[in-house]
Amino acid sequence: MNPTDLDQLGARILQMADQLAAHSDQPDALTVAYLTPAHRAVAAGLQRWMREAGMQMHIDAVGNVVGRYAAADPTAPVLMTGSHFDTVRNGGKYDGRLGILLPIAVVSHLHARGERLPCHLEVVGFAEEEGLRFRSSFLASSALAGQFDAQLLDRADADGVPLRDAMRAAGLPATLESITALARDPQRLAGFIEVHIEQGPVLLERGLPLGVVTSIAGSLRMVATVTGVAGHAGTTPMAMRKDAAAAAAEMLLAIERRCSQAPTLVGTVGMLGVPNGATNVIPGRCEFSIDIRAGDDPTRDAAVSDVIAACEAIAAQRGVALELQRTMRVPCAPCAPALMDLLAQCVARAGVAPYRLPSGAGHDAMMIQRLTEVCMLFVRCGNGGISHNPLETMTAADAQLAAQVFLDFIRHVPGTPR
Ligand code: GLV
Ligand code: MN
Ligand code: MN
């Protein structure tokens, strides 16, 4: 068995994902935050595989691992593909990584055959998408899209390490000039395709291995800080308290209620804490995150306005202070009809009914969509569709089909800039 044989690509992709999952910031969970030693070990693995697959590769100024499989015609445009290799805390091994490993496997097959493509194929392992360490979601793809937020360089992680210092420690230049120079020229691009595990149950329930994404839901994130009055848990009568955590709990339920009111709308409080809290002290401060998404921006923005009003009303009624800091607002990103149609044809040629579905999760493609036309191929997620969880799973057979569709797509994408 040769790992570059066409019928071995699915197995090879899963094998590489297993190998990458050996690197983690935590011993008993898969957690890979931006620029940690585990993150750098994953980048090294990707580099090695890209080289072995016949690509020229480099690490760019934000730590992206970029491999290029050159077309025969040096003036050909560049088709970009890729996804992220950082993870959430205690995440799954395919989220993001599938979209890097699958193109590497496919290129190794092309290289073994000596086959060149009509476009230069650039495979990007995006270094940061999840925002785990610096609340800097899409940092890596925003740099390529020419939309890097300069203020991020001063943002500190939970240990007080500024991003700029973390970059220097990882051997990156850590200058704004080097990062802004990463912006790609749209005139040179033929488009972008991202392969990603679905992270939901839709394909699984329909019995379909693959899906063509129509659009990516826009998300808005905030950090809420509620300030009450800390006091003695034994002596302060209930009516005399200004309990920050109790107020936050009421706000959380208001968010859940409002975000249950439209089909694609979702709202999540994923982090909730009482800093320096103690069992016998009434919480004087409570911090929580808010993530609100919808299939279209007006639905999402209406919910955000209502959530803010509801939280402010709860704060006023309970006599606590509320501060809301917006940390992210990404508009909904539609996929390009021509690329979607081509991808759907490739899916059909692989013998799968080309089913179209929106993405509720965020993806690097949303940022690249500001630069060039994008499309996405979803691959079925097992275990009831669970993701952002170590139970996330997929099969080698589905990865195999996805690799064949991807190969068909990159052979046929028009070699003209869009
Ligand atoms: C990315 O994983 C997201 O939060 O959608
Ligand atoms: Mn994710
Ligand atoms: Mn992802």
Side-chain angles (χ1 to χ4, degrees):
M1 168 188 119
N2 187 332
T4 63
D5 284 353
L6 184 59
D7 62 357
Q8 296 301 318
L9 300 184
R12 174 76 185 127
I13 291 161
L14 263 59
Q15 187 191 46
M16 289 192 284
D18 283 342
Q19 280 175 253
L20 289 189
H23 305 291
S24 175
D25 302 332
Q26 295 182 296
D28 48 1
L30 179 58
T31 303
V32 178
Y34 186 45
L35 299 180
T36 61
H39 185 270
R40 290 158 69 182
V42 171
L46 293 175
Q47 282 179 69
R48 192 177 74 247
W49 290 328
M50 283 180 179
R51 279 208 193 92
E52 286 170 6
M55 288 185 250
Q56 295 162 326
M57 63 76 43
H58 71 279
I59 303 272
D60 74 16
V62 293
N64 293 327
V65 184
V66 185
R68 186 180 173 94
Y69 189 63
D73 174 4
T75 65
V78 176
L79 174 66
M80 274 172 59
T81 187
S83 192
H84 59 98
F85 63 90
D86 65 328
T87 72
V88 291
R89 192 172 285 114
N90 197 17
K93 56 189 167 189
Y94 306 107
D95 175 6
R97 288 144 181 229
L98 174 66
I100 313 167
L101 299 174
L102 184 145
I104 292 176
V106 168
V107 169
S108 69
H109 171 70
L110 290 171
H111 182 58
R113 287 164 49 88
E115 180 180 337
R116 298 274 161 187
L117 294 166
C119 299
H120 301 292
L121 183 70
E122 204 169 276
V123 182
V124 186
F126 289 106
E128 208 290 334
E129 189 265 356
E130 300 285 11
L132 179 59
R133 182 169 173 193
F134 291 98
R135 298 191 315 283
S136 54
S137 308
F138 303 111
L139 178 155
S141 43
S142 71
L144 267 54
Q147 309 228 340
F148 180 78
D149 174 4
Q151 292 177 350
L152 278 181
L153 285 173
D154 296 316
R155 189 171 291 172
D157 69 6
D159 296 325
V161 179
L163 175 60
R164 190 189 304 274
D165 292 2
M167 286 180 151
R168 266 195 213 112
L172 302 176
T175 61
L176 190 56
E177 300 68 46
S178 65
I179 297 172
T180 50
L182 297 179
R184 298 305 165 90
D185 175 4
Q187 302 299 326
R188 297 278 306 125
L189 296 176
F192 177 83
I193 173 169
E194 180 167 357
V195 182
H196 206 285
I197 188 165
E198 184 206 333
Q199 306 184 273
V202 176
L203 296 174
L204 187 65
E205 280 177 3
R206 292 188 169 255
L208 291 169
L210 304 172
V212 177
V213 176
T214 52
S215 70
I216 311 167
S219 62
L220 187 139
R221 294 184 187 169
M222 292 181 281
V223 174
T225 306
V226 183
T227 310
V229 179
H232 199 292
T235 60
T236 317
M238 294 306 281
M240 293 177 65
R241 298 180 178 209
K242 291 187 170 31
D243 182 329
E250 205 175 325
M251 292 173 193
L252 191 161
L253 292 176
I255 294 166
E256 185 186 46
R257 237 182 343 267
R258 177 59 182 86
C259 294
S260 303
Q261 287 172 13
T264 63
L265 182 63
V266 286
T268 306
V269 173
M271 296 198 302
L272 176 71
V274 177
N276 303 318
T279 312
N280 56 354
V281 179
I282 299 162
R285 189 177 159 96
C286 184
E287 293 173 357
F288 61 98
S289 62
I290 307 174
D291 177 313
I292 299 179
R293 312 183 191 202
D296 63 275
D297 293 339
T299 301
R300 192 261 325 268
D301 291 341
V304 169
S305 303
D306 289 351
V307 159
I308 292 173
C311 291
E312 283 172 347
I314 292 164
Q317 193 249 326
R318 284 177 165 268
V320 297
L322 171 67
E323 192 199 313
L324 288 169
Q325 189 200 353
R326 198 171 86 180
T327 53
M328 188 172 103
R329 182 184 185 281
V330 184
C332 183
C335 293
L339 293 180
M340 267 193 291
D341 289 348
L342 175 59
L343 191 54
Q345 286 164 22
C346 299
V347 170
R349 279 200 286 267
V352 177
Y355 180 72
R356 298 183 188 222
L357 74 172
S359 170
H363 298 291
D364 294 299
M366 316 176 76
M367 206 35 91
I368 301 299
Q369 191 256 358
R370 300 179 185 184
L371 187 67
T372 187
E373 294 190 345
V374 303
C375 67
M376 286 193 74
L377 178 67
F378 265 178
V379 185
R380 171 166 52 192
C381 186
N383 263 344
I386 195 160
S387 182
H388 281 183
N389 186 307
L391 293 175
E392 177 192 83
T393 187
M394 59 178 289
T395 66
D398 288 357
Q400 176 67 33
L401 263 180
Q404 281 167 225
V405 167
F406 181 81
L407 179 59
D408 193 4
F409 181 88
I410 60 179
R411 280 176 172 150
H412 292 102
V413 76
T416 46
R418 27 189 83 243

